[in-house]
Amino acid sequence: MYQIIAKETLTPVTKMFVISAPEVAQKAQAGQFVVLRVHEKGERVPLTIADYDRDEGTITIVVQEIGKSTRLLGQLEPGDRLASFTGPLGRPTEIENYGTVVLVGGGLGIAPIYPICRSLRAAGNHVIAIIGARSGDLLFWEERMRSVTDELIVVTDDGSYARKALVTVPLKELLESGQTIDRVWGIGPAIMMKFIALTSQPFGVKTIVSLNSIMVDGTGMCGACRVSVGGRTYFACVDGPEFDGHLVDWDLLLSRQRMYRDDEAIALERFSQPESQSNREAR
Amino acid sequence: MARSSRSSIARHSMAEQEPSVRITNFDEVALGYDLTTAVEEAQRCLQCRHSPCVSGCPVGVRIPEFIKALREGDMWDAVAKLKDKNSLPAVCGRVCPQETQCEEVCVLAKRGEPVAIGRLERFVADWEREHGIRVPPVASSMGKRVAVIGSGPAGLTAAGDLAKLGYDVEVLEALHEPGGVLVYGIPEFRLPKEIVKIEIGYLESLGVKIRTNVVIGRLYNVAELLESYDAVFMGTGAGLPMMMNIAGENLNGVYSANELLTRVNLMKAYQFPEWDTPVRVGARVAVVGAGNVAMDSARSALRLGANEVHIVYRRSREEVPARAEEVHHAEQEGVIFDYLTNPVEILGAEGWVTGMRCIRMSLGEPDASGRRSPVPIEGSEFEMVVDTVVMALGTQPNPLAFSQAPGLERNRRGAVVADSATGRTRLERVWAGGDIVTGSATVISAMGAGRVAAMDMHAYLMGQSRGPWLTAAEPA
Ligand SMILES: Cc1cc2nc3c(=O)[nH]c(=O)nc-3n(C[C@H](O)[C@H](O)[C@H](O)COP(=O)(O)OP(=O)(O)OC[C@H]3O[C@@H](n4cnc5c(N)ncnc54)[C@H](O)[C@@H]3O)c2cc1C
Ligand SMILES: Cc1cc2nc3c(=O)[nH]c(=O)nc-3n(C[C@H](O)[C@H](O)[C@H](O)COP(=O)(O)OP(=O)(O)OC[C@H]3O[C@@H](n4cnc5c(N)ncnc54)[C@H](O)[C@@H]3O)c2cc1C
Ligand code: SF4
Ligand code: SF4
Ligand code: FES
């Protein structure tokens, strides 16, 4: 079970995996995530479901390699098996015919908005997506995104590809253009989601974000993933991960994401030493 | 041996790791009896005709009988007598609150110290494990399928009993490791995980299939299970941590006990970075609460390197709900107990805990439950300097498993309403037992509930007891 069927390098820091998980694929919906362990001593890593194929029985994930666990995952090849794979977790995106919707995917956030765009479009919405990355080489899935949207706007921070702008710039232009926008989704790094929410707030357009707080079980049992929304504490893994971006306490999320920074550095350093004990064992 | 000489033998203590040594490791604290000590302790039992001890045990372990077999040297018979009523004796011998159960009502307790029933139980179970567990005969398959949700003591017991009767049992567990609280909650130094693994391996040898990584309420729901199984047992426990809802509770450095213990036990954070999951425990730790969960958190914090660990409890020592042995061990290890103290705010700087503002309490008149309720003493607020706070305030049933289970009635505290005599819920073909029904209780009561439900499920599935379906609901 949980065998890797295919792997693709999307950018220098992002890899895509197609994983055999027939039961999860049957049930997966846009907006949900999985928790996987790469090896027996591994962390439980939460990753968004970027795509699912019910016929093939597969789940697609896109991973940005930032620390030890994601780099270990990045080293796996087709044929390898994961130690565990649990899902689907979290509440699905609320799919309805809202009218015109704008989905903003920054960096890695392109992957999670893809299935949401597809579902929203199938529900009859006019789907506009804005995708962006720091530079052109970090951008992926442009064609895929085009296939599930009515309009696609591409930007890069440095202008090395497409238009030079932050994702919030075209979002603001759309909101100011006078056309009715019924709902916005913003997914990406927490700091980007914060600015997406701040951009749409003056226009009063409801904006949904997907909160990537630190998680352990993903089933509502530990409270590691606590977030504050509208002054109330929620467990992101079961109450979310999607919440109303205008009500999120962003500073708390950003602060809690840093909780293990020192330990993560230790893990990564040990992992990166070429012949360290943990490195050999991990393979 | 004469009765008088039996009662003149003093209760045998059990070897333990020295406190100064054991707080530097996660190895088991209590080392168990050797054969000679066990037999001598067994000699103390008076073999009372009415055996009050048995009625003190929630599953009615045949205590005098297994003790008799033990002292006569017939170990396999002791094993058989013990396991007749208790399928996880190595666990119960270690974690049962014996002093409020079997040992409390032992006749010797009235005149001095009770027979060390728990320690003997542990000894017999450990002996069996060392000599190779024998698998009892299992009835051939009846072609009926039962789903058991959750692999804690309630689910495992129900699964084992049903498998022995010839049902095809599948245990569906959300986490990647089966065992429930036995693997993610109770620490290694109290209950080695290897023991839990072996007990689970025994159940698998009975034919129980365990499927991990299956989250009911997400991957499947109860309504779907009823389509593909003849009966469903819900033993999902009480895994939802309660918080105090005071200011500062979301600061970095504030843990629910469940998170701290899950990181340490299930994810082996005490072996970080060899294992990948980290845990952050600072130099000064406050654990709020005084149950087993609080003791486990405090003692884990010490072992993770904390210099000073406080138990902050709003009542007094008399009301402490933890097992006596845990409190004793925590005191030996240097945990500081701040009784009649309650946090009102957690203080922080730059996102991290720096202290906790507390208020002193006094005990007022007894309330309806007979417990004296704590009342804040005005003007007694003070600050504690701490960098880590662990909330061990209790847990409630996690509602996840209930999604798409219309008809399942739950009470105000989120617990499932089930008949304590049968385990039947309001939803036909669905039984429940353990912490999901009672709220956080004990391993042995969860096992008892699993057994009761298994028996009733058998009667129902054999067509001997079709209805009425839950007439008298137990107020939980
Ligand atoms: C619901 C959800 C969906 C996610 N989807 C994706 C995705 O599709 N693709 C992707 O690449 N990443 C995703 N993430 C983030 C991903 O889980 C983390 O990047 C990963 O756990 C980092 O582990 P590491 O050991 O490689 O890095 P580390 O060095 O351990 O951590 C780097 C940073 O990642 C975050 N992080 C660390 N541990 C966890 C954890 N247990 N849970 C959550 N965040 C953590 C922290 O902010 C940390 O500072 C998602 C997170 C959540 C909660
Ligand atoms: C730290 C700690 C220390 C304790 N110490 C003692 C002690 O010393 N002595 C004692 O007698 N008792 C002790 N207890 C209490 C005792 O452990 C519990 O009463 C007992 O484990 C309850 O058993 P259970 O089978 O009902 O549930 P649990 O042991 O909680 O098991 C429930 C299982 O169901 C799984 N589950 C939950 N939701 C789902 C879902 N939706 N889908 C699939 N699976 C799901 C969970 O992951 C878990 O594995 C302690 C509890 C804790 C937390
Ligand atoms: S199971 Fe627990 S209560 Fe029963 S006899 Fe054993 S130790 Fe005592
Ligand atoms: S009550 Fe005590 S002495 Fe009597 S049979 Fe039970 S264990 Fe033995
Ligand atoms: S990750 Fe544990 S409760 Fe959300």
Side-chain angles (χ1 to χ4, degrees):
Chain A
M1 273 218 280
Y2 319 134
Q3 191 170 36
I4 294 171
I5 303 297
K7 175 184 184 181
E8 197 181 308
T9 300
L10 300 180
T11 81
V13 295
T14 4
K15 295 196 171 113
M16 180 188 98
F17 292 93
V18 179
I19 293 155
S20 168
E23 294 178 285
V24 184
Q26 277 309 316
K27 293 299 170 85
Q29 293 179 60
Q32 293 186 297
F33 64 97
V34 296
V35 166
L36 61 78
R37 274 156 65 250
V38 177
H39 62 127
E40 282 306 323
K41 297 180 178 178
E43 283 186 280
R44 292 174 63 94
V45 185
L47 297 163
T48 308
I49 295 173
D51 200 358
Y52 47 85
D53 186 326
R54 303 207 203 283
D55 299 329
E56 294 291 319
T58 58
I59 294 286
T60 300
I61 52 171
V62 175
V63 188
Q64 183 168 6
E65 294 177 53
I66 50 173
K68 179 177 175 184
S69 298
T70 47
R71 285 185 201 206
L72 270 172
L73 180 56
Q75 291 181 349
L76 297 185
E77 295 298 334
D80 288 344
R81 284 165 199 278
L82 298 166
S84 66
F85 189 86
T86 312
L89 296 169
R91 292 178 192 273
T93 305
E94 285 175 22
I95 303 290
E96 279 173 37
N97 189 351
Y98 298 99
T100 299
V101 292
V102 178
L103 292 98
V104 187
L108 187 80
I110 299 168
I113 66 164
Y114 166 75
I116 304 178
C117 287
R118 185 173 58 191
S119 296
L120 284 168
R121 199 157 180 239
N125 292 279
H126 181 77
V127 177
I128 306 171
I130 303 167
I131 60 172
R134 273 204 321 278
S135 58
D137 62 338
L138 298 177
L139 204 68
F140 58 91
W141 279 13
E142 185 179 345
E143 284 321 305
R144 250 187 199 241
M145 285 299 299
R146 214 172 283 289
S147 70
V148 294
T149 51
D150 297 290
E151 293 173 48
L152 181 70
I153 299 163
V154 183
V155 295
T156 53
D157 295 5
D158 65 358
S160 57
Y161 180 78
R163 178 177 168 192
K164 177 176 173 16
L166 298 173
V167 287
T168 46
V169 176
L171 173 63
K172 187 154 184 239
E173 290 166 1
L174 282 168
L175 290 161
E176 281 171 340
S177 70
Q179 68 170 307
T180 317
I181 309 248
D182 298 287
R183 197 170 271 226
V184 171
W185 271 260
I187 304 185
I191 190 72
M192 176 190 284
M193 292 193 283
K194 172 178 174 174
F195 282 101
I196 292 170
L198 286 175
T199 303
S200 64
Q201 194 151 22
F203 299 90
V205 179
K206 187 154 181 176
T207 299
I208 306 295
V209 293
S210 181
L211 300 187
N212 50 349
S213 52
I214 290 181
M215 295 186 177
V216 184
D217 59 302
T219 69
M221 182 267 272
C222 76
C225 61
R226 319 203 272 294
V227 292
S228 176
V229 183
R232 270 192 62 189
T233 295
Y234 293 92
F235 289 3
C237 69
V238 283
D239 301 322
E242 294 190 357
F243 292 95
D244 183 339
H246 296 152
L247 302 177
V248 170
D249 181 341
W250 293 104
D251 294 339
L252 178 71
L253 177 70
L254 286 160
S255 167
R256 286 187 62 83
Q257 283 183 341
R258 286 193 291 268
M259 173 139 177
Y260 293 98
R261 210 164 35 178
D262 299 350
D263 309 83
E264 286 152 3
I266 294 171
L268 188 58
E269 192 188 83
R270 269 185 50 137
F271 177 65
S272 307
Q273 286 164 2
E275 275 314 312
S276 76
Q277 176 77 11
S278 69
N279 204 0
R280 245 176 290 127
E281 271 175 12
R283 280 204 214 115
Chain B
M1 199 185 289
R3 218 182 141 85
S4 58
S5 48
R6 286 196 192 285
S7 42
S8 66
I9 313 172
R11 178 174 159 119
H12 294 78
S13 58
M14 181 165 52
E16 289 173 351
Q17 281 196 68
E18 282 299 318
S20 61
V21 175
R22 70 194 191 220
I23 60 167
T24 64
N25 67 49
F26 272 81
D27 299 339
E28 194 171 13
V29 167
L31 303 173
Y33 283 156
D34 56 23
L35 180 63
T36 320
T37 316
V39 171
E40 276 173 22
E41 180 64 27
Q43 297 292 3
R44 298 181 62 225
C45 174
L46 303 178
Q47 295 290 308
C48 315
R49 186 131 0 108
H50 304 297
S51 45
C53 50
V54 177
S55 55
C57 169
V59 297
V61 165
R62 298 161 69 179
I63 297 166
E65 293 166 75
F66 97 76
I67 291 181
K68 183 159 184 275
L70 165 62
R71 74 183 180 208
E72 285 170 359
D74 191 348
M75 290 304 294
W76 284 113
D77 189 39
V79 170
K81 295 272 159 41
L82 179 57
K83 286 191 123 177
D84 181 41
K85 298 283 182 192
N86 184 343
S87 47
L88 303 170
V91 174
C92 293
R94 287 172 167 82
V95 307
C96 264
Q98 288 94 7
E99 69 274 11
T100 60
Q101 299 183 346
C102 52
E103 292 182 17
E104 182 180 37
V105 289
C106 167
V107 292
L108 294 186
K110 291 186 201 89
R111 281 177 270 144
E113 295 218 88
V115 174
I117 301 169
R119 293 172 185 176
L120 292 177
E121 184 164 322
R122 168 190 165 140
F123 175 79
V124 172
D126 288 355
W127 183 92
E128 184 200 18
R129 206 172 51 251
E130 280 153 25
H131 290 78
I133 296 176
R134 294 181 183 172
V135 180
V138 173
S140 57
S141 172
M142 300 201 291
K144 284 200 187 331
R145 303 183 68 212
V146 178
V148 169
I149 313 173
S151 63
L156 291 176
T157 304
D161 285 2
L162 288 164
K164 277 191 230 168
L165 290 165
Y167 292 91
D168 298 335
V169 184
E170 281 188 28
V171 178
L172 310 172
E173 167 56 48
L175 295 173
H176 59 264
E177 197 81 64
V181 169
L182 307 183
V183 293
Y184 80 70
I186 303 180
E188 178 78 15
F189 57 81
R190 245 183 358 109
L191 179 62
K193 301 306 147 228
E194 193 54 33
I195 290 175
V196 181
K197 227 181 205 152
I198 291 171
E199 302 262 29
I200 289 171
Y202 165 76
L203 292 172
E204 285 176 314
S205 69
L206 297 176
V208 172
K209 289 200 182 52
I210 298 181
R211 296 187 50 204
T212 48
N213 309 307
V214 177
V215 180
I216 301 306
R218 292 279 191 244
L219 186 61
Y220 300 110
N221 56 50
V222 171
E224 287 168 319
L225 295 180
L226 285 171
E227 286 167 21
S228 39
Y229 296 89
D230 295 293
V232 173
F233 175 79
M234 297 184 78
T236 50
L240 183 75
M242 291 195 264
M243 302 299 276
M244 290 192 86
N245 298 317
I246 56 175
E249 219 170 1
N250 291 335
L251 286 163
N252 285 341
V254 183
Y255 283 102
S256 77
N258 267 7
E259 181 185 353
L260 178 83
L261 293 170
T262 301
R263 284 182 180 272
V264 173
N265 298 314
L266 182 69
M267 306 310 296
K268 306 274 184 280
Y270 65 94
Q271 297 184 48
F272 178 85
E274 199 203 313
W275 287 65
D276 294 344
T277 304
V279 64
R280 290 227 88 148
V281 164
R284 294 175 56 95
V285 181
V287 177
V288 184
N292 287 324
V293 183
M295 299 306 140
D296 285 344
S297 302
R299 299 174 66 202
S300 295
L302 277 179
R303 286 159 173 77
L304 292 166
N307 296 330
E308 198 174 302
V309 179
H310 293 251
I311 289 274
V312 176
Y313 182 48
R314 62 197 181 119
R315 299 175 195 258
S316 69
R317 192 177 202 285
E318 268 172 42
E319 289 83 21
V320 165
R323 291 178 76 216
E325 188 184 5
E326 305 325 319
V327 179
H328 173 64
H329 279 157
E331 284 172 340
Q332 277 185 330
E333 290 169 10
V335 172
I336 300 160
F337 285 72
D338 298 327
Y339 293 112
L340 294 165
T341 305
N342 206 29
V344 289
E345 182 184 355
I346 298 167
L347 310 166
E350 289 164 35
W352 286 86
V353 173
T354 56
M356 192 160 80
R357 207 150 52 79
C358 297
I359 191 162
R360 301 273 185 215
M361 312 290 279
S362 66
L363 287 182
E365 292 304 309
D367 60 13
S369 71
R371 285 217 299 185
R372 296 174 63 193
S373 50
V375 221
I377 302 174
E378 227 173 287
S380 68
E381 291 191 11
F382 68 100
E383 281 177 20
M384 282 175 84
V385 178
V386 290
D387 49 21
T388 309
V389 174
V390 183
M391 292 295 176
L393 307 162
T395 52
Q396 289 186 338
N398 184 337
L400 195 55
F402 304 122
S403 75
Q404 303 297 315
L408 262 188
E409 189 191 338
R410 290 190 289 149
N411 68 16
R412 270 186 303 115
R413 280 171 298 143
V416 168
V417 175
D419 185 342
S420 64
T422 59
R424 291 184 184 198
T425 66
R426 293 253 189 241
L427 193 57
E428 187 157 2
R429 290 195 290 132
V430 178
W431 285 255
D435 282 4
I436 187 184
V437 174
T438 56
S440 191
T442 60
V443 170
I444 191 68
S445 56
M447 288 177 51
R451 165 147 301 173
V452 162
M455 289 306 123
D456 190 65
M457 291 166 94
H458 180 47
Y460 177 86
L461 293 169
M462 296 304 289
Q464 290 161 355
S465 165
R466 282 277 163 195
W469 195 258
L470 183 50
T471 46
E474 282 288 307

